[in-house]
Every structure is written in structure tokens, then in C-alpha cells.
Amino acid sequence: MLEIRNVTKRFGGLAAVNDVSTTVERGKVNAIIGPNGAGKTTFFHLVGGTIPPSSGTIAYEGRDITGLRADQVARLGISRTFQATTLFDMATVLDNLIVGHRLRTRSGLLDVLFDSRRLRDDERACREKAAAALDFVGLSHVAQRLAGDISQEERKRVAFALALSTDPQLVLLDEPAGGVNPEETQGLADLIRKFVRHGITVCLIEHKMDMIMSLADKIMVLNYGEKIAEGTPAEIRRNPAVIDAYLGSEHADV
């Protein structure tokens, strides 16, 4: 589904991502792990179009998307979340989500000025899509609450719903379980599985190894910007380089 070939991103003399090649497999949970500063979020920035690579290629569904802007990548079907969920806290949860589906609408300034039928149709479609996304992530009951009044776990679910509202085929999740307790982490893992059951491929960055090892079909490990291992959870647990650089003995298969 996604093919990355020899991608490098340099900031001056620093290679934040260095000659990384990998694939994201359709219909699976693909994970990226590694120490802080390993280049994981930079890798997501490259795939999502936030920043261009210094070299290498990125192909999605066989199409070269190297260097496309974030909005162009999103329109092709790649959505993402961020480590910190930034919402319009003085707007309702539903209104926050209505913004997401605007990516798929066609009305513009003239439609607003003349209150066109296309504008009204787009607004109705956005509202329906937002409501469906909230229902999917289990948050219909907070639709009319201010975003600033919901819990951290609910904000994480809203981030999932925002990604869903753009009609993606591939979702990039950056530390989706950061800052939530173990019970809430399990609920988010179940939600990720639900995404995959509904035909949405997932690639996630996460530091909670118990979650990753039980959830991922495939794991890539980065360290100092370079890929040091890739494989199934069982293979990663047994990899000496990964144990030494990141996992430690508590997560190793011994």
C-alpha cells in the first residue's frame, strides 16, 4: 500500500531519518518503535507531506507522492493524528469534526456569499460524516460538549474521529495511547482493531510495548534515524540489536 525507498531527511548536518526503506502492508497494523529522538515522528512528517525528504521516494498505491503537500496527501487517502491532540476548545466536539470532512467538499467563497445549494449540501454532508465518525469511536454522547471539557482519553478518540472524517484508506497514528491509563489503552487498541476490520490500514508510533506486541502485525524499529530491524512482534522480541537499543530484557523473548 505504501512503499518507502531509501528516504533520508537532513536538517543541516543531522540526518533525522537516514536511508530508510520499508513498506506499509494493506489491512494490517504496522508499527514503528524506537527510543526518543529515533526519527519516528519525522518519518510520519515525511509520509504525510508535512516536510519533504532530502532524498528517496515515497509511493502510495503505486503513485509517487514524494514531496506532495499535506493537503494533497490527505486527499489521496492518508490521514494522521499527532502526539498532542489540538482542538478548538471553545467549540463543540461535533463542530471540531465538521472541519475534517471539508477536505472532501467543493463549495467555496462564492457559495458562502450566495448561500448556494451546494454549500447547504456540503454542510449537511459534513455534519452527517462528523456524527458518523463520533459514533464509530464511541463518543456520540459528547457531541454537544465543548472540546475543552472532555477527558484526555476522549480527546484521543476525537483525534481518531478527525482522521476518520477525511475518508482515509491509511491512518498514521502518532502515540495514540500517550497519557492514558491501562484500561483506556486497551480501549484504544480495540478501536485500532475496529479501524482495520472496516478496511482502514493503520500505521502507528507507540512507546507502550505491551500494546504494540499484542496489536501489531509488523514492526519497524528506528534508532538514530536508521532502521535497525523489521519483522513480526516475535521476531522483534528476539532481535539482539533491538533489545540492546530499546526494549531491554523485560520485553525480550528469552
Side-chain angles (χ1 to χ4, degrees):
M1 188 175 201
L2 188 72
E3 185 175 15
I4 292 90
R5 287 287 173 253
N6 307 111
V7 164
T8 294
K9 180 60 183 180
R10 294 187 178 276
F11 297 97
L14 172 67
V17 173
N18 188 25
D19 196 31
V20 171
S21 297
T22 189
T23 58
V24 170
E25 298 181 16
R26 184 188 310 278
K28 294 184 178 181
V29 177
N30 304 261
I32 302 172
I33 66 172
N36 289 328
K40 304 183 298 297
T41 295
T42 300
F43 182 82
F44 266 15
H45 287 336
L46 295 169
V47 174
T50 305
I51 56 176
S54 302
S55 60
T57 60
I58 303 169
Y60 173 66
E61 301 281 30
R63 172 178 175 174
D64 188 349
I65 64 169
T66 311
L68 291 186
R69 300 189 312 267
D71 62 301
Q72 295 172 318
V73 172
R75 285 189 176 91
L76 291 175
I78 300 176
S79 186
R80 69 166 295 186
T81 67
F82 294 82
Q83 292 178 22
T85 304
T86 303
L87 303 174
F88 297 107
D89 284 344
M90 298 308 295
T92 67
V93 171
L94 185 66
D95 284 342
N96 270 270
L97 289 180
I98 286 172
V99 175
H101 194 61
R102 283 292 181 189
L103 184 74
R104 302 296 179 191
T105 61
R106 296 186 301 161
S107 53
L109 178 59
L110 288 177
D111 295 287
V112 174
L113 292 175
F114 292 102
D115 191 26
S116 71
R117 179 174 179 176
R118 179 165 65 177
L119 175 66
R120 293 192 296 272
D121 288 345
D122 282 349
E123 288 178 341
R124 182 171 59 255
C126 287
R127 187 166 293 274
E128 290 172 354
K129 188 68 180 182
L134 274 182
D135 181 64
F136 187 94
V137 302
L139 288 183
S140 294
H141 61 288
V142 302
Q144 298 306 322
R145 289 180 60 186
L146 293 180
D149 292 339
I150 63 176
S151 70
Q152 174 69 4
E153 189 267 350
E154 288 168 336
R155 292 178 78 88
K156 292 289 186 179
R157 287 179 178 266
V158 170
F160 279 55
L162 275 167
L164 186 63
S165 68
T166 66
D167 289 336
Q169 295 299 308
L170 169 62
V171 173
L172 311 177
L173 304 174
D174 196 346
E175 296 193 32
V180 301
N181 66 38
E183 182 179 350
E184 293 167 340
T185 295
Q186 183 58 54
L188 294 174
D190 291 341
L191 184 54
I192 290 170
R193 293 187 181 98
K194 184 177 180 181
F195 267 54
V196 175
R197 289 199 305 272
H198 283 77
I200 300 172
T201 301
V202 172
C203 183
L204 77 154
I205 295 167
E206 187 53 68
H207 285 288
K208 295 185 176 181
M209 285 301 99
D210 289 341
M211 175 186 180
I212 287 294
M213 292 300 173
S214 65
L215 183 63
D217 298 296
K218 173 186 174 182
I219 300 172
M220 177 176 72
V221 187
L222 295 179
N223 192 32
Y224 294 111
E226 298 184 354
K227 184 175 80 171
I228 63 170
E230 189 169 44
T232 66
E235 290 168 339
I236 294 301
R237 283 181 183 272
R238 294 193 299 267
N239 189 297
V242 179
I243 295 169
D244 182 59
Y246 184 57
L247 288 183
S249 59
E250 67 270 20
H251 289 288
D253 263 345
V254 293

